[in-house]
Amino acid sequence: MRAFLALAFVVLFPTMAFAHPDPSHALGFVHGFSHPIGGIDHILAMVAVGVFAYVLGGRALFLVPAAFVGMMVVGFLLGVGHVNVPFVELGIALSSVVIGGVAAMGRPIPVAAAMALVGVFAIFHGHAHGAEMPADAGGALYAAGFIVATALLHVAGILAAFGVARVVGKYGKLVAQVAGGVFALGGIGVLLGWL
């Protein structure tokens, strides 16, 4: 667990190495960072990815969130390049429904299938980030911002699941499955305009 936290710190805070901050560059990072945490639809899906990874366990703890982030970058490039991806908002809303629902079922699935599942939905999230990037935001720093925010939300889902599991003991996976169901219901709320 310590190695995981150390790796998460190194991956999530690369901008700490910048010795000469430029406010205009920081603005791009801040815009990118705020986009995923500025909408309940994004938060639900990204935390659900972390809970889903916890439910699957093993290599999925790292590979499922990494697949989401990687494919989100692909979606971002499509959005910046003005490549039309149909049903982006619907895909974003459905992401927490499907990912949370699969986590709630708690059935073991191959890690590659889990990676493909979250990767498809990540394209929608990434496309929205790219299409909605402010004109004055630097693309690389903007991307770094939403990547860091997304990874933090994934880590939050994983750590919350581990924390709850410590408290409830052998029922930890069951509680994580219930949380997946809550994320799925939240996604339905987004689809219906309740959230």
Side-chain angles (χ1 to χ4, degrees):
M1 186 58 158
R2 288 183 194 169
F4 175 76
L5 291 176
L7 177 63
F9 183 83
V10 169
V11 169
L12 298 178
F13 297 104
T15 59
M16 293 175 77
F18 294 147
H20 305 287
D22 176 353
S24 64
H25 292 313
L27 189 61
F29 181 85
V30 169
H31 278 301
F33 188 88
S34 65
H35 194 259
I37 62 174
I40 190 70
D41 49 355
H42 291 292
I43 293 171
L44 286 170
M46 293 174 191
V47 176
V49 168
V51 171
F52 180 40
Y54 171 82
V55 169
L56 293 175
R59 296 180 316 136
L61 282 172
F62 303 100
L63 294 176
V64 168
F68 189 98
V69 171
M71 292 307 292
M72 186 179 61
V73 171
V74 171
F76 168 73
L77 295 173
L78 293 173
V80 168
H82 305 290
V83 175
N84 184 39
V85 173
F87 308 113
V88 169
E89 290 303 320
L90 179 62
I92 290 170
L94 284 175
S95 62
S96 58
V97 175
V98 174
I99 295 167
V102 174
M105 289 189 298
R107 300 224 188 319
I109 64 172
V111 174
M115 292 169 65
L117 175 72
V118 301
V120 166
F121 289 110
I123 291 172
F124 295 117
H125 287 269
H127 190 278
H129 296 323
E132 297 170 16
M133 182 176 72
D136 62 342
L141 284 174
Y142 179 82
F146 73 73
I147 289 169
V148 168
T150 298
L152 284 173
L153 290 168
H154 293 334
V155 170
I158 292 168
L159 292 180
F162 271 111
V164 169
R166 272 193 100 135
V167 172
V168 300
K170 65 180 181 178
Y171 300 106
K173 184 175 178 185
L174 178 61
V175 172
Q177 288 175 246
V178 170
V182 170
F183 288 115
L185 289 174
I188 291 170
V190 168
L191 281 169
L192 298 176
W194 297 342
L195 295 177

